[in-house]
Amino acid sequence: MVEAYRDPRRSVEERVEDLLKRMTLEEKIGQMCQYSAHAGLTDRIKDLVRRGLAGSLLNVVGVENVNEIQRIAVQETRLGIPLLLGLDVIHGYKTIFPIPLALASSWDPEVVEEAARIAAREAAAEGIRWTFAPMLDIARDPRWGRIAEGFGEDPYLAMVMAWAAVKGFQGPELSPDPERLAACAKHYVAYGACEGGRDYNTVDISERTLREVYMAPFKAAVAAGVATVMSAFNDLNGVPASANEFTLRRVLKGEWGFRGFVVSDWNAIGELVVHGVAADGSEAAKLAVTAGVDMDMEGDVYRRHLADLVRRGVVPESLIDEAVRRILTVKFKLGLFENPYADPERARRVVKSGEHLEAALRVARKCIVLAKNDGVLPLPKTLRRVAVIGPLADDRDAVLGCWRALGDPRDAVSVLEGIRRKLPGAEVLHARGCDVRSEDRSGFAEAVEAARRAEATVLVVGESADMSGEAASRAHLGLPGVQEELVRAVWEAVGGRAPVVAVVMSGRPLTITWVAEHLPAVVIAWHLGVRAGDAIADVLFGDYNPGGKLPVTWPRAVGQVPIYYNHKRTGRPPGPDRFTSKYIDEDWRPLFPFGHGLSYTRFEYSDLRVEPSAVEPGGAVTISFCLANVGDREGDEVAQLYVRDVVASVTRPVKELKGFKRVTLRPGERRRVVFTLPTQLLAFYGRDMRPVIEAGVYEVMVGSSSEDIRLRGSFEVTRTAVLEEGGRVWFTEARVE
Ligand code: NOJ
């Protein structure tokens, strides 16, 4: 007779309980251990799997390897439990999409969902069923290289994108669908608030900021059904995130009711010793498992110490059982017991398919932000001679960004190629000018000469792919190396006589203040993925009208950092008086504000209606207005809704994003945009640290960026209401009539 746990007709709960009953303590702990196969399927890895000491592996790549190691797990272990194979499939698997910060610039959750869905389809076809994404760390500090991996500085935008990403990877719910992955919300929590923007560094923030800003997107991911959560490297208010009972057990698993499992970041349990909160591996294992970390990534700490801790009565076996239940539940829900193997036939069909490469282009276009345009863009396609200059102009590696999984630069389109394809009849002159990071100026003369000969010049400057992402913090945020000098040299030679456009590629905001103040046009292209060059050429030559907006503030100078739009007012807001909150040697305002992005057409906002004017807590306010395309070409506008709580029991941000909608309008078209704002979105943590909606006046601001507010109104909340803690999240419904 077949064991109950092998019977797919039984419920997941029954199967989990049946299997758990049959497992030895070592086998249970084995499920809690994950190892990396980045060096291949070594004898050590195979041995760990064969002995039932590994429940999961990361970095196994290729259909053959996947199937070989799964065969060992399924056929050669006592209980035949399949492995959960994970990989960092962050912005694409082989078809590489824009980096997450760029995806957020689309301000379109369908874009994020589509990129995740395609990444999942490709990875799942090759036997990967778990991704360590989405990365949901709010980042207010562009020195931190991992800002590239997240959705920017705003909790509301990140919540919307978190939901979309989870649904894109997992589908409507975690299921055996062979085109889907289990997602992982990381890095829980507040990793993005590392001091000085230095990776892995200490985080010390208030519980209010923690909950309202840094936890918000994680809560949204949990509400969306995310299967797993990764505990972060950083210490948080004195307690490392991978030993933090408050954030893991009390908030995540308690208040929010998270039912999936928690995996540590890479050796984050072992590092508890380095943090100085555990004397040795054994104590580290105890702290982590007690706090609620269910799986040990690559640390080998659980395997070495947990059994002993249980036998000595230090760790109750019930804690082990709880972790294993959570892990097995994900494996059963993914259908791994029925179907652990990769399907080479499907892999051949779907990976890098024409359809996926088309989607990569569509998505990339939507992520481009036109930061400045004094009328030189779009460039006419009738140009006969164009110069494409800069160290990134013909770079097929940078465009793939910091987490390219199995992406291959040979598949990527550089800006130079994109422009050559766009202008088949024109002469396209190319000069690198300099390298991304070196001090060598010997190529300047050639670059200047090319610009002199051309009718228009496109300068492609910024960061290479390895300058953002993990362990890529920067103390200087200007264009690296001598690139700004190159821009100046070209500008001095031809500026004013022919159009000169800067295309800036980067994984973070850069302090390109001089460039933005002198050049007539700046296009922010981030790292846009395999079709970057085509998408950028479409924007430069007007075949696509850019509509992206910044999900993060661009500072003028590093000294302004951290800089973010939803800051507090202070008792002395910046003003003409010296004794106000500002700098004596730099503007206090950013170079480009959050939500900023231009278009080749113009939009007008009018006729704001806010109804009702007074609302009970628990009710909703409808905010609607007319949006018109008053220019002469079709375009996208991201209409943004901000709210300010005018007087509250604690200080509140000057404004907070509470809704947005990307709308496409034909020339002359006019539509009513309607936001339905649930009052729960007005809640914050009051003096007693309970979530509360307070009575009083709320200012409504609608506009084209956080600084470009076009319409203002207000409403009132009639009474104060304290809310229950819980896992529910609210979103503003946005529609176009
Ligand atoms: C460490 C990184 O912090 C995390 O984001 C990643 O998922 C793991 N390594 C696995 O590669």
Side-chain angles (χ1 to χ4, degrees):
M1 207 189 89
V2 59
E3 300 94 328
Y5 76 90
R6 292 186 185 279
D7 181 355
R9 287 163 310 178
R10 295 186 185 255
S11 71
V12 167
E13 293 72 30
E14 278 178 284
R15 297 176 78 182
V16 168
E17 291 310 318
D18 179 67
L19 180 51
L20 196 62
K21 267 196 337 248
R22 298 167 192 269
M23 296 169 80
T24 64
L25 180 61
E26 276 72 17
E27 283 166 337
K28 289 180 192 172
I29 293 167
Q31 290 302 305
M32 299 168 68
C33 296
Q34 184 190 51
Y35 296 93
S36 172
H38 57 275
L41 293 182
T42 56
D43 289 344
R44 171 176 173 263
I45 294 281
K46 287 185 192 166
D47 184 57
L48 285 166
V49 172
R50 199 169 277 125
R51 288 160 60 207
L53 301 179
S56 171
L57 299 177
L58 73 160
N59 299 329
V60 178
V61 292
V63 169
E64 275 170 27
N65 285 335
V66 163
N67 288 348
E68 183 187 350
I69 200 72
Q70 283 291 33
R71 192 193 50 73
I72 294 176
V74 171
Q75 293 183 10
E76 296 185 21
T77 63
R78 193 176 76 85
L79 294 164
I81 304 174
L83 294 161
L84 179 54
L85 299 178
L87 188 73
D88 290 287
V89 182
I90 312 289
H91 52 104
Y93 177 70
K94 286 189 179 166
T95 301
I96 302 305
F97 285 85
I99 56 169
L101 191 60
L103 290 171
S105 307
S106 71
W107 288 60
D108 184 347
E110 280 171 28
V111 160
V112 168
E113 188 170 338
E114 179 170 30
R117 185 169 56 236
I118 291 173
R121 185 185 291 147
E122 292 193 353
E126 296 205 347
I128 302 299
R129 296 303 304 282
W130 184 19
T131 177
F132 306 114
M135 195 276 226
L136 301 178
D137 297 308
I138 296 295
R140 294 169 158 183
D141 189 334
R143 291 173 298 183
W144 191 49
R146 305 202 78 168
I147 197 170
E149 300 175 51
F151 296 129
E153 74 187 33
D154 181 67
Y156 185 76
L157 181 61
M159 283 173 76
V160 173
M161 297 314 196
W163 185 284
V166 170
K167 297 294 180 192
F169 286 125
Q170 295 191 168
E173 58 188 32
L174 197 64
S175 79
D177 183 342
E179 303 214 321
R180 301 291 190 168
L181 306 177
C184 182
K186 73 186 187 186
H187 307 85
Y188 190 73
V189 59
Y191 184 31
C194 49
E195 282 181 2
R198 192 151 55 80
D199 209 358
Y200 317 116
N201 203 6
T202 298
V203 174
D204 206 317
I205 53 176
S206 72
E207 186 184 337
R208 180 171 294 111
T209 301
L210 175 68
R211 285 181 176 270
E212 291 176 0
V213 178
Y214 291 92
M215 281 183 167
F218 288 92
K219 187 171 177 180
V222 170
V226 74
T228 69
V229 168
M230 186 184 293
S231 64
F233 289 128
N234 57 284
D235 70 316
L236 170 62
N237 302 339
V239 183
S242 293
N244 200 310
E245 279 197 72
F246 169 70
T247 57
L248 292 167
R249 243 182 235 293
R250 173 144 152 227
V251 178
L252 176 70
K253 293 182 174 179
E255 287 172 19
W256 301 347
F258 173 62
R259 317 275 302 160
F261 72 84
V262 175
V263 61
S264 77
D265 202 341
W266 185 285
N267 193 32
I269 303 177
E271 288 171 17
L272 295 175
V273 177
V274 191
H275 273 292
V277 295
D280 52 26
S282 171
E283 204 182 343
K286 182 194 80 178
L287 288 177
V289 81
T290 308
V293 180
D294 303 302
M295 188 183 278
D296 173 6
M297 180 191 285
E298 187 59 16
D300 206 24
V301 178
Y302 279 1
R303 185 186 66 81
R304 284 191 283 126
H305 302 289
L306 274 186
D308 176 57
L309 287 165
V310 172
R311 291 206 179 96
R312 286 195 288 124
V314 180
V315 168
E317 191 163 350
S318 59
L319 275 190
I320 308 295
D321 288 348
E322 187 218 304
V324 178
R325 272 193 192 97
R326 287 172 179 266
I327 293 163
L328 291 177
T329 299
V330 170
K331 291 189 173 186
F332 280 114
K333 284 191 175 166
L334 282 171
L336 284 174
F337 285 77
E338 286 66 57
N339 196 5
Y341 298 111
D343 175 351
E345 214 291 303
R346 195 199 344 266
R348 267 191 296 278
R349 224 174 341 109
V350 308
V351 175
K352 289 196 287 193
S353 67
E355 186 198 328
H356 291 183
L357 291 167
E358 267 311 295
L361 173 60
R362 266 199 323 273
V363 164
R365 283 183 191 135
K366 284 197 140 185
C367 300
I368 295 173
V369 180
L370 179 61
K372 178 178 179 187
N373 185 17
D374 282 352
V376 295
L377 287 177
L379 297 168
K381 277 191 262 180
T382 48
L383 291 176
R384 282 158 309 161
R385 194 180 283 158
V386 183
V388 184
I389 291 173
L392 296 174
D394 196 22
D395 193 321
R396 298 158 149 215
D397 187 88
V399 293
L400 295 189
C402 53
W403 266 128
R404 72 270 305 274
L406 303 188
D408 184 341
R410 286 171 301 185
D411 296 327
V413 182
S414 71
V415 178
L416 180 66
E417 286 173 272
I419 292 178
R420 287 208 161 120
R421 284 189 201 176
K422 181 69 65 193
L423 305 178
E427 187 184 353
V428 180
L429 308 169
H430 167 56
R432 282 173 60 80
C434 60
D435 287 339
V436 171
R437 301 172 79 168
S438 87
E439 299 291 311
D440 182 1
R441 299 167 180 82
S442 59
F444 280 22
E446 186 199 0
V448 166
E449 183 50 28
R452 278 213 177 96
R453 289 181 54 212
E455 294 163 307
T457 296
V458 177
L459 278 157
V460 190
V461 290
E463 296 182 321
S464 50
D466 61 349
M467 293 190 74
S468 60
E470 189 176 349
S473 296
R474 292 184 62 195
H476 304 280
L477 292 177
L479 291 173
V482 291
Q483 293 184 71
E484 185 170 314
E485 285 179 46
L486 173 69
V487 178
R488 286 182 193 235
V490 169
W491 176 250
E492 273 153 25
V494 299
R497 284 187 282 120
V500 181
V501 176
V503 172
V504 180
M505 288 185 186
S506 62
R508 55 157 64 77
L510 297 177
T511 51
I512 51 161
T513 310
W514 188 91
V515 176
E517 281 173 356
H518 291 80
L519 267 58
V522 178
V523 172
I524 293 175
W526 311 110
H527 293 142
L528 282 180
V530 271
R531 299 297 300 276
D534 291 320
I536 292 166
D538 283 346
V539 163
L540 293 176
F541 292 92
D543 285 337
Y544 183 80
N545 186 354
K549 302 273 187 177
L550 296 176
V552 66
T553 303
W554 279 50
R556 301 174 59 84
V558 186
Q560 295 177 315
V561 168
I563 183 168
Y564 47 96
Y565 85 97
N566 49 350
H567 57 82
K568 301 291 182 69
R569 226 167 124 70
T570 81
R572 294 190 176 190
D577 184 13
R578 172 162 190 159
F579 296 95
T580 58
S581 181
K582 58 186 183 182
Y583 301 100
I584 56 167
D585 56 356
E586 180 54 273
D587 198 323
W588 60 275
R589 282 168 295 224
L591 181 62
F592 299 123
F594 174 82
H596 170 73
L598 306 171
S599 166
Y600 295 151
T601 186
R602 283 177 303 115
F603 296 95
E604 252 174 38
Y605 289 71
S606 61
D607 192 23
L608 178 71
R609 294 183 207 154
V610 182
E611 293 155 336
S613 57
V615 63
E616 291 270 297
V621 183
T622 301
I623 294 145
S624 75
F625 54 91
C626 211
L627 181 67
N629 180 348
V630 295
D632 54 13
R633 56 165 76 213
E634 181 173 296
D636 287 7
E637 169 69 327
V638 180
Q640 301 163 38
L641 167 68
Y642 296 90
V643 174
R644 178 162 84 93
D645 185 344
V646 180
V647 179
S649 60
V650 296
T651 57
R652 305 283 299 131
V654 290
K655 54 173 84 82
E656 292 176 290
L657 183 74
K658 295 293 178 192
F660 60 90
K661 180 79 180 161
R662 184 164 178 152
V663 186
T664 306
L665 295 180
R666 292 186 305 275
E669 192 179 355
R670 151 185 311 269
R671 303 286 288 272
R672 181 156 280 276
V673 180
V674 185
F675 290 123
T676 308
L677 168 74
T679 48
Q680 287 87 351
L681 269 180
L682 305 172
F684 59 89
Y685 283 82
R687 291 208 178 194
D688 57 2
M689 282 309 294
R690 291 196 296 169
V692 63
I693 306 172
E694 285 188 352
V697 176
Y698 291 79
E699 191 184 344
V700 170
M701 290 158 270
V702 169
S704 185
S705 87
S706 62
E707 287 302 313
D708 185 4
I709 299 299
R710 308 284 184 87
L711 302 168
R712 286 174 194 273
S714 67
F715 62 87
E716 205 185 316
V717 170
T718 51
R719 63 185 168 79
T720 294
V722 173
L723 305 182
E724 291 288 309
E725 278 295 4
R728 189 149 170 217
V729 293
W730 281 269
F731 294 105
T732 293
E733 189 205 294
R735 58 176 210 279
V736 177
E737 285 183 346

